[in-house]
Amino acid sequence: MLLKDTRDYQILFLGLFLVLGIGTRDWTLHPEFIAVAIAFCLSTQWLLSSVKGFWSFDNNQEQQPSINLRSALITSLGLSLLLRTDHWITMALAAVSAIASKFFLKIGDKHFFNPANFGIISALTLTSNAWVSPGQWGEEWWYCLVFVGTGGLILRKIGRWDTTVAFLGSYSLLEAIRNLWLGWTWDVYWHRLMSGSLLLFALFMVTDPRSIPNAKIGRVVWAVCIACLTFILRNYFFLSTAVFWSLFALAPLTIFLDYLWSSPRFSWLGEGRRQEAEGRRQEDDEGDEGEGGDKGEIPTHNSTRAKCAASANSTQHSSLSTLITEV
């Protein structure tokens, strides 16, 4: 069902940002390049998932999993928002490398590179006609409100506020110390922080729950490291795309942090189960209240607990019969 999965909200919001950028910022973005990014991301995801599914089916003789294209669509929209090029082949290269990184660059069942970020770095290093424009959103305050509002909704659902707060808090603190050290006015400080691209990175890219550390303490340490490297690359190497290079360089650190602080990996399927359980629990509570009202009785916690247990058992049986590929 539409908007039942948190990724549906991400697709909706990223699509909205594309329309907003093209309509209000006069981006030199060719619509055909957006189509190329979407087509190559989806087709690569479908092809590699089919090969993986066939291999699993051949070896385990179990039910062949279905193919979920939501993550690939999110990656294609992220590339369309951030990557600029003059040739469609470059966009196709970025799309294919982004999706392929999820299948080939991983340890166990976890890929540690953010797919869109990997595609951007691939295009920047392998071609001469790709670039990223960090200032494309300007510094207008209402863009920041839109990004924080929509990003906050996503982060509340997936529980990754800690990563955004650690990154933005560390980076803004380092910039403030540098500003004081150099004796600059605070206008300079806010000018460096009021960037739409920086907020998009902090809210939508560095918080990807499938490629970042699993444990909360690991995510905080990892985000602080990215903020420190971004600060160094931007202020001492004058690299305008410092956030993307920092995320790329420190992505493998995720594996080491997961080894130090183990925690269950985030699962979109688990998120769906949780939402389904909450919905059923609300229905049970409403049902108990209705039955109790008709009979003049007060519903007991035991009856609600028994129905929740039955609902959980039903959910487990349902999940065993429906395998969904999440990569």
Side-chain angles (χ1 to χ4, degrees):
M1 182 180 294
L2 189 63
L3 298 183
K4 196 169 184 178
D5 191 302
T6 303
R7 287 170 292 184
D8 295 335
Y9 289 91
Q10 286 184 280
I11 294 169
L12 177 65
F13 294 153
L14 293 177
L16 171 67
F17 298 159
L18 263 181
V19 173
L20 199 63
I22 295 173
T24 64
R25 299 300 304 176
D26 193 27
W27 287 354
T28 55
L29 181 60
H30 302 288
E32 58 268 28
F33 288 178
I34 300 176
V36 167
I38 294 175
F40 276 86
C41 278
L42 296 185
S43 59
T44 305
Q45 177 79 40
W46 175 82
L47 177 62
L48 295 179
S49 295
S50 298
V51 172
K52 180 184 176 183
F54 175 78
W55 180 260
S56 301
F57 177 73
D58 188 52
N59 284 277
N60 301 327
Q61 294 298 312
E62 295 178 352
Q63 183 180 0
Q64 191 169 4
S66 59
I67 298 174
N68 195 313
L69 298 177
R70 287 189 176 95
S71 295
L73 185 54
I74 291 172
T75 300
S76 66
L77 293 174
L79 288 174
S80 301
L81 277 168
L82 296 168
L83 183 63
R84 297 291 172 266
T85 179
D86 292 326
H87 205 290
W88 69 269
I89 293 180
T90 301
M91 185 61 83
L93 171 67
V96 172
S97 60
I99 301 301
S101 71
K102 298 194 299 181
F103 289 86
F104 298 110
L105 299 177
K106 64 181 191 177
I107 294 180
D109 64 342
K110 181 166 185 173
H111 61 88
F112 45 88
F113 282 108
N114 178 283
N117 188 63
F118 188 89
I120 290 171
I121 297 300
S122 297
L124 292 177
T125 53
L126 298 178
T127 71
S128 59
N129 57 3
W131 71 94
V132 176
S133 179
Q136 65 180 353
W137 288 102
E139 299 171 2
E140 297 180 35
W141 61 270
W142 68 273
Y143 286 123
C144 297
L145 291 182
V146 172
F147 297 153
V148 171
T150 54
L153 178 61
I154 298 295
L155 294 180
R156 187 179 68 83
K157 286 181 172 294
I158 63 176
R160 292 297 182 270
W161 263 112
D162 44 34
T163 312
T164 297
V165 170
F167 172 76
L168 286 179
S170 303
Y171 183 72
S172 58
L173 177 62
L174 291 171
E175 287 286 358
I177 293 173
R178 180 173 183 267
N179 206 70
L180 285 173
W181 178 264
L182 296 175
W184 289 348
T185 66
W186 289 105
D187 291 340
V188 178
Y189 174 74
W190 291 115
H191 172 75
R192 296 180 69 82
L193 293 183
M194 291 291 289
S195 166
S197 296
L198 181 66
L199 281 178
L200 275 179
F201 175 85
L203 292 166
F204 289 92
M205 182 170 280
V206 81
T207 56
D208 173 18
R210 297 284 291 171
S211 62
I212 65 178
N214 298 328
K216 184 175 182 178
I217 180 65
R219 294 195 297 271
V220 171
V221 170
W222 184 72
V224 171
C225 291
I226 292 177
C228 293
L229 184 57
T230 299
F231 176 80
I232 293 171
L233 293 179
R234 186 176 183 185
N235 292 295
Y236 295 97
F237 292 88
F238 308 106
L239 199 58
S240 60
T241 55
V243 287
F244 303 107
W245 287 102
S246 299
L247 178 58
F248 179 80
L250 294 177
L253 184 61
T254 297
I255 303 302
F256 178 67
L257 295 176
D258 280 344
Y259 175 76
L260 285 181
W261 295 289
S262 63
S263 183
R265 191 187 180 196
F266 179 87
S267 169
W268 294 112
L269 182 59
E271 174 70 10
R273 285 176 179 168
R274 185 185 64 78
Q275 293 177 355
E276 184 179 357
E278 288 180 353
R280 291 185 178 182
R281 191 177 298 116
Q282 290 177 356
E283 292 177 0
D284 290 342
D285 292 341
E286 292 173 359
D288 286 344
E289 292 175 359
E291 292 175 3
D294 292 340
K295 297 178 182 179
E297 298 175 353
I298 300 175
T300 63
H301 291 292
N302 289 336
S303 63
T304 303
R305 190 178 298 115
K307 291 184 177 181
C308 287
S311 174
N313 290 332
S314 174
T315 303
Q316 290 176 354
H317 286 296
S318 175
S319 62
L320 286 174
S321 62
T322 306
L323 295 176
I324 300 175
T325 301
E326 290 186 282
V327 289

